[in-house]
Amino acid sequence: MKLDHNFIKNTFIAVLAGVPVTFKLILVVLLFSIPLGVVVAIVRMNKSGVLSKIFSVYVSFIRGTPAMVQIYLLYNALPVVIMRFFQEKGIGIDVYGIKGMTYAYFILTATYIAVMSESFRGGLSAVDKGQLEAAKSIGLTPFQGYYRIVIPQAMANILPVLANNVTGLVKMSSLVFAMSVFDITAIAKTEGARHTTYVEAYLVIAVMYITLNLTIELIFKLLEKRIKEYHAL
Amino acid sequence: MLELKDVKKSFGKNRILKGVDISVNKGDVVVILGPSGSGKTTLLRTINFLERADSGTMIFDGKTYDMKRAGKKEVNFVRKNTAFVFQNYCLFNNKTVLQNVTEGLIIGRKVPKAEAEVKAKAALEKVGMLDYADYYPSRLSGGMQQRVGIARAVAVSPDIILFDEPTSALDPELVGDVLKVIRKLAKEDITMIVVTHEMSFAEDVANKVIFMADGVVVEEGTPEEIFYRPKEERTRQFLSRIIPVDNYVI
Ligand SMILES: Nc1ncnc2c1ncn2[C@@H]1O[C@H](COP(=O)(O)OP(=O)(O)OP(=O)(O)O)[C@@H](O)[C@H]1O
Ligand SMILES: [Mg+2]
């Protein structure tokens, strides 16, 4: 098989337009799913309470269903249900008018809250509970105790897992084409279809994903090394 | 300055504290003794609201607290004026020795950083750990960690320090240094309650010894009274197990 070099170059240029979309997706999802994941993890670790049970069901649902199924349910099926409900009640909000990108942010964040919370649960429980009590005993609020003492240690404990989560998110972001979001995968797909040069198109984005994920792994490795050196955890 | 009245606490069906009364005056060093499981740790923790009592009253610095119902503000006030030294040190592993000590000042009490560092260094000097200010806890021996734990407590100038078996997790050869530090604090008239099994330390330093068993105070008095002329059979039994018999007169 002969690859069309010219086409590779052109696709590469076309796909570049999707890079900001992919980056925005990843950053926004991380920005929300990390803190919310921590909250879910802490609530679930303090076992008692209705909220803890609700979160536990939520995490099981997300973990137990393929991302494509979640996207179908939330992006294709749910708006129909909501729209029918709104029409019955005479509420004039147009659910269909919500952009695909908004759904993408929402669905990926929802998934990643569950993923992150599971990772944090491991990290948090590895931090001796006494340190939180010590923080309270010297006058820190529970929030300050978590934020300043417990969470940084939990993060450090699970850096390799977090690296996995982030590279996983990069890969999962490619599913947003199903919500008509033009990320790099969606663009490569259309370019490939237009010129029937799928192989070249997918090769281009494969290289882009690999480059991005290798960079992420490198950053986490450096972070880990730094923490080991200074904190000697 | 600190008085507890009828403190009760259960964990599930286990009644751990069955109505404990104690009182501590300013400058007192009160030692609490008692068999394992008698509720000593639980009692100290209820004072600092790390554990909520089921009922009981605390009078602290002239104010009265309902130990079950005290609100956030009251809890905060008590915590800011007391300090706790933990059996297993519980240092902040992501902070240096110095940061461990300044944390309660800068974050807990809004003391400016420069001033907090001066205070923290003075506290570290007092426990002989100033040379290790930049170390992370994981590089220190248990004895050193506990001395930092004590500095962390001292630095916030609490009205009372609560020690929960501060030396029982240490290798025997490290116990001496930590006890020396606590003795030094006792001489400075710092008020403290110390749960410990170190009898000679208790005898030297305490001006009141409380013997607890099964969730109640069985007997209290001066070290003289408790160690050499205990009134209660339960106290005698306990002491005979930890002090050689010829050491005390029946
Ligand atoms: N959070 C808890 N939940 C359930 N039971 C608890 C809890 N904390 C303490 N207990 C129980 O309460 C009892 C008294 O514990 P406590 O630690 O107060 O005793 P202690 O006098 O300090 O004993 P030791 O000398 O072994 O430290 C123990 O039987 C313990 O198992
Ligand atoms: Mg105890």
Side-chain angles (χ1 to χ4, degrees), chain A residues 34 38 120 123 127 150-160 162 227:
Chain A
I34 289 177
V38 170
F120 281 123
V127 180
V150 179
I151 293 172
Q153 290 178 57
M155 290 265 200
N157 288 341
I158 57 162
L159 272 182
L162 284 183
I227 286 176

Side-chain angles (χ1 to χ4, degrees), chain A residues 56-73:
Chain A
S56 143
V57 171
Y58 167 74
V59 172
S60 306
F61 172 77
I62 298 278
R63 275 168 49 112
T65 50
M68 265 329 269
V69 174
Q70 293 161 22
I71 290 175
Y72 174 79
L73 287 175

Side-chain angles (χ1 to χ4, degrees), chain B residues 14-174:
Chain B
N14 284 346
R15 290 169 63 213
I16 305 302
L17 301 177
K18 300 172 183 166
V20 175
D21 300 79
I22 64 172
S23 82
V24 181
N25 295 317
K26 202 168 166 49
D28 271 358
V29 176
V30 175
V31 164
I32 301 182
L33 300 175
S36 181
S38 55
K40 307 177 299 290
T41 298
T42 307
L43 181 69
L44 285 195
R45 289 167 58 83
T46 58
I47 297 174
N48 215 14
F49 292 103
L50 291 174
E51 207 77 71
R52 276 287 171 160
D54 299 331
S55 68
T57 310
M58 169 159 73
I59 303 172
F60 177 61
D61 281 347
K63 277 189 214 134
T64 305
Y65 299 88
D66 178 335
M67 293 176 79
K68 180 183 167 67
R69 271 179 270 277
K72 246 188 201 160
K73 263 198 190 142
E74 294 173 295
V75 169
N76 239 345
F77 180 85
V78 172
R79 283 191 181 152
K80 282 196 175 154
N81 292 287
T82 56
F84 205 105
V85 174
F86 297 84
Q87 189 169 4
N88 48 351
Y89 341 124
C90 297
L91 295 187
F92 308 134
N93 285 328
N94 60 330
K95 305 267 175 203
T96 63
V97 164
L98 184 67
Q99 290 166 341
N100 262 274
V101 184
T102 54
E103 191 74 8
L105 293 164
I106 298 174
I107 307 302
R109 288 166 184 75
K110 309 276 180 292
V111 176
K113 191 169 175 226
E115 191 188 329
E117 283 184 355
V118 172
K119 277 191 178 166
K121 282 179 180 162
L124 285 172
E125 171 90 78
K126 198 173 278 179
V127 301
M129 287 297 295
L130 188 53
D131 290 345
Y132 297 89
D134 295 328
Y135 280 55
Y136 281 91
S138 57
R139 303 220 193 130
L140 305 177
S141 72
M144 288 174 162
Q145 290 195 45
Q146 191 57 295
R147 276 145 64 194
V148 176
I150 294 171
R152 177 172 69 183
V154 170
V156 297
S157 326
D159 294 331
I160 185 166
I161 305 181
L162 312 167
F163 292 82
D164 186 18
E165 302 200 35
T167 59
S168 65
L170 298 176
D171 292 337
E173 72 270 19
L174 302 175

Side-chain angles (χ1 to χ4, degrees), chain A residues 141-183:
Chain A
T141 61
F143 177 81
Q144 288 169 331
Y146 271 112
Y147 186 71
R148 301 184 52 85
I149 309 294
V150 179
I151 293 172
Q153 290 178 57
M155 290 265 200
N157 288 341
I158 57 162
L159 272 182
V161 184
L162 284 183
N164 251 338
N165 290 353
V166 178
T167 52
L169 172 61
V170 169
K171 290 185 276 179
M172 191 178 162
S173 74
S174 69
L175 295 179
V176 297
F177 74 84
M179 291 174 271
S180 4
V181 172
F182 278 81
D183 73 324

Side-chain angles (χ1 to χ4, degrees), chain A residues 86-108:
Chain A
F86 278 2
Q87 274 160 4
E88 265 173 34
K89 301 276 171 207
I91 301 171
I93 301 172
D94 180 17
V95 179
Y96 297 131
I98 298 171
K99 284 207 206 89
M101 191 69 175
T102 310
Y103 278 104
Y105 283 141
F106 186 78
I107 292 173
L108 289 187

Side-chain angles (χ1 to χ4, degrees), chain A residues 7 19 42 62-63 76 79 102 107 109-110 112 120 152 183 200 206 232:
Chain A
F7 177 73
V19 170
I42 290 172
I62 298 278
R63 275 168 49 112
N76 297 316
T102 310
I107 292 173
T109 302
Y112 264 78
F120 281 123
D183 73 324
E200 285 86 346

